[in-house]
């Protein structure tokens, strides 16, 4: 804390030495955030100040409270350094150095000061109706342009510089000549920049370039799943779950027990390499009572039809192919059995004819 006070004293001494040229650049992101917070801060004070009052409304007191609000924030911000210096021990360690949080606390303190008796003694502060009322007043102020954003931005810049005594959110550099100042501004970390990625118009300070670049939705980046495509960051999620060739998918034979997950672009190769395993799994499903050895022998017999089996890419199609092949394998056995039965029938018929004709021949010889 002593070093902070020395820094402040050095600034005062520098100002007393004579005229100098200040760099007025600041963190535009935090300044805009503060400006955005001022409107709901004022609306809260207006609502809490008129709660239960039948003669006054938030809109009626808005102009006067706005003036008081700005004066209060300015006074508190100007005395912030002195207030922080007085704090000691744990209180000093807990004190925030974030300008937004500091000024938001000031705004809350102002609303507390303006709260009327009804708001203090009732359950109004915790009610949803209060929050809804504040939101309505904020919306009315925005639509009517009661407190324009550019005016709030100007106030926010002043408040930011008052509480940022460490110079973390605004530039504290000073120069003896305008030439030196201009040279500095060209490379100042608080200079304003616009994102160079096509389609992105975000404005930020140069110090936040890397931070924005790591999150810019319009930045072209390589596919997160390592396919060959590069695309906008905002399109990455959709790409990865739809048409990315490296999207991980389940094997189409997971229904019969294949637990493999492979990139979409290698699915055909997986099906080809695991054909024997898939055939055996489908056979096990179709012939639940068959032994494992019988199923393995049958799978080996079916390997000679690999070209036909390879055309099946899921459980349903492979089941149909296997049924057809099993029927074709059983057909020769049926044909052989039919042929043997036909030959036996012919032999029997010839023998019967011989037995019938022989006695007639014998009788004829006998009679002669």
């Amino acid at each position: 804390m002593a070093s902070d006070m020395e820094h402040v004293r050095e600034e005062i001494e520098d100002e007393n030495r004579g005229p100098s040229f200040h760099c007025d650049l600041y963190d535009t992101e935090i300044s805009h955030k503060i400006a955005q917070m001022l409107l709901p801060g004022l609306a809260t004070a207006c609502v809490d100040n008129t709660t239960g009052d039948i003669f006054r409304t938030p809109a009626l007191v808005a102009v006067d409270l706005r003036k008081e609000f700005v004066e209060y924030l300015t006074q508190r911000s100007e005395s912030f350094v002195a207030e922080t210096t007085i704090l000691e021990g744990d209180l000093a360690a807990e004190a925030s150095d974030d300008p937004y949080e500091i000024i938001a606390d000031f705004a809350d303190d102002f609303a507390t000061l303006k709260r009327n008796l009804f708001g203090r003694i009732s359950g109004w502060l915790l009610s949803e109706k209060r929050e809804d009322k504040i939101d309505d007043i904020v919306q009315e102020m925005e639509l009517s342009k009661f407190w324009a954003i550019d005016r709030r931005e100007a106030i926010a810049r002043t408040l930011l510089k008052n509480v940022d005594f460490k110079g973390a959110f605004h530039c504290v550099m000073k120069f003896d000549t305008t030439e030196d100042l201009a040279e500095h501004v060209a490379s100042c970390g608080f200079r304003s920049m616009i994102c160079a990625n096509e389609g992105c118009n975000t404005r930020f300070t140069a110090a936040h370039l890397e931070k924005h670049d790591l999150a810019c939705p319009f930045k072209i980046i390589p596919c997160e799943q390592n396919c060959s495509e590069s695309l906008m960051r905002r399109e990455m999620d959709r790409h990865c779950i739809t048409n990315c060739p490296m999207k991980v998918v389940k094997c189409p034979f997971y229904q019969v027990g294949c637990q493999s997950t492979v990139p979409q672009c290698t699915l055909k190769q997986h099906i080809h390499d695991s054909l024997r395993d898939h055939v055996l799994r489908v056979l096990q499903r179709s012939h639940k009572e068959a032994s494992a050895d019988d199923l393995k022998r049958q799978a080996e017999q079916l390997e000679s039809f690999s070209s036909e089996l390879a055309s099946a890419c899921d459980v349903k199609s492979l089941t149909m192919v296997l049924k057809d092949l099993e029927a074709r394998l059983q057909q020769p056995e049926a044909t052989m059995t039919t042929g043997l039965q036909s030959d036996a029938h012919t032999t029997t018929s010839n023998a019967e004819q011989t037995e019938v004709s022989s006695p007639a021949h014998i009788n004829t010889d006998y009679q002669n």
Side-chain angles (χ1 to χ4, degrees):
M1 192 60 64
S3 61
D4 293 335
M5 289 303 299
E6 290 177 3
H7 179 71
V8 173
R9 282 197 295 270
E10 289 176 0
E11 287 188 349
I12 296 174
E13 291 175 0
D14 289 341
E15 290 177 356
N16 294 332
R17 289 173 186 169
S20 60
F21 299 94
H22 297 252
C23 177
D24 293 327
L25 298 180
Y26 55 93
D27 189 326
T28 54
E29 183 177 345
I30 193 73
S31 176
H32 181 71
K33 189 177 179 182
I34 294 171
Q36 292 288 85
M37 176 270 297
L38 293 179
L39 203 59
L42 174 62
T44 300
C46 292
V47 170
D48 288 348
N49 185 251
T50 57
T51 299
D53 194 326
I54 61 175
F55 300 105
R56 298 188 309 155
T57 64
L60 190 63
V61 300
V63 174
D64 291 337
L65 284 185
R66 180 179 62 185
K67 181 180 179 181
E68 292 182 39
F69 187 42
V70 172
E71 291 176 350
Y72 178 83
L73 293 178
T74 303
Q75 180 182 1
R76 286 291 303 275
S77 66
E78 290 175 345
S79 61
F80 174 74
V81 176
E83 292 177 4
T84 307
T85 305
I86 296 173
L87 297 177
E88 296 180 356
D90 294 339
L91 292 177
E94 293 176 2
S96 174
D97 57 0
D98 184 335
Y100 175 82
E101 293 183 2
I102 294 169
I103 297 170
D105 287 341
F106 294 165
D108 290 341
D109 291 344
F110 179 77
T112 301
L113 291 173
K114 293 302 174 181
R115 192 173 298 152
N116 64 15
L117 183 61
F118 179 84
R120 295 174 187 272
I121 64 175
S122 68
W124 170 251
L125 295 178
L126 301 178
S127 67
E128 293 184 3
K129 186 176 180 181
R130 173 178 179 265
E131 296 298 326
D132 292 341
K133 184 66 174 178
I134 293 173
D135 291 341
D136 291 342
I137 296 300
V138 170
Q139 188 174 9
E140 289 180 15
M141 289 180 174
E142 288 178 340
L143 293 175
S144 64
K145 298 181 180 180
F146 170 75
W147 199 1
I149 185 62
D150 56 340
R151 294 177 62 188
R152 283 181 281 144
E153 289 274 9
I155 296 170
R157 288 196 295 272
T158 300
L159 298 176
L160 170 62
K161 293 178 180 180
N162 286 344
V163 300
D164 182 33
F165 59 89
K166 294 182 180 180
F169 298 92
H170 77 290
C171 186
V172 296
M173 297 294 291
K174 302 174 183 179
F175 301 91
D176 294 330
T177 65
T178 55
E179 291 78 7
D180 291 341
L181 175 60
E183 183 179 354
H184 164 76
V185 168
S187 59
C188 180
F190 292 100
R191 69 187 185 279
S192 181
M193 299 183 68
I194 298 178
C195 180
N197 295 321
E198 184 176 357
C200 182
N201 297 317
T202 303
R203 184 178 292 275
F204 47 84
T205 56
H208 294 165
L209 174 60
E210 183 177 357
K211 176 184 175 182
H212 172 78
D213 194 61
L214 291 173
C216 178
F218 293 91
K219 183 176 177 61
I220 303 296
I221 57 176
C223 172
E224 294 176 353
Q225 298 181 148
N226 298 320
C227 82
S228 59
E229 291 192 42
S230 293
L231 59 159
M232 289 184 184
R233 181 178 279 113
R234 67 176 186 170
E235 298 174 352
M236 186 62 65
D237 289 345
R238 183 177 62 180
H239 166 77
C240 289
I241 64 176
T242 55
N243 59 349
C244 177
M246 293 299 290
K247 179 182 70 172
V248 175
V249 296
K250 289 182 178 180
C251 171
F253 292 90
Y254 75 93
Q255 295 175 339
V256 290
C258 183
Q259 301 298 317
S260 299
T261 54
V262 296
Q264 189 169 247
C265 60
T266 64
L267 183 59
K268 289 184 179 180
Q269 185 63 41
H270 165 74
I271 293 174
H272 177 270
D273 295 342
S274 305
L275 179 59
R276 184 172 184 178
D277 177 64
H278 294 161
V279 168
L280 186 59
R281 290 181 183 278
V282 173
L283 288 175
Q284 288 172 341
R285 186 185 188 186
S286 303
H287 307 286
K288 296 180 180 179
E289 297 179 357
S291 66
D293 292 337
D294 289 340
L295 291 175
K296 287 181 179 179
R297 281 194 294 271
Q298 189 171 359
E300 291 173 357
Q301 291 178 350
L302 292 168
E303 285 183 0
S304 58
F305 302 96
S306 59
S307 60
E308 295 179 55
L309 292 171
S311 64
C313 58
D314 54 34
V315 174
K316 183 178 179 180
S317 59
L318 183 56
T319 301
M320 295 177 64
V321 171
L322 288 175
K323 285 183 178 180
D324 180 61
L325 292 177
E326 287 177 333
R328 286 160 59 182
L329 286 173
Q330 293 173 1
Q331 188 173 3
E333 297 178 3
T335 302
M336 184 179 294
T337 302
T338 303
L340 291 173
Q341 292 175 350
S342 178
D343 292 343
H345 178 71
T346 303
T347 302
T348 303
S349 297
N350 292 337
E352 290 176 351
Q353 291 177 2
T354 303
E355 292 175 358
V356 171
S357 60
S358 295
H361 176 68
I362 293 171
N363 291 337
T364 303
D365 292 342
Y366 179 78
Q367 291 175 358
N368 290 335

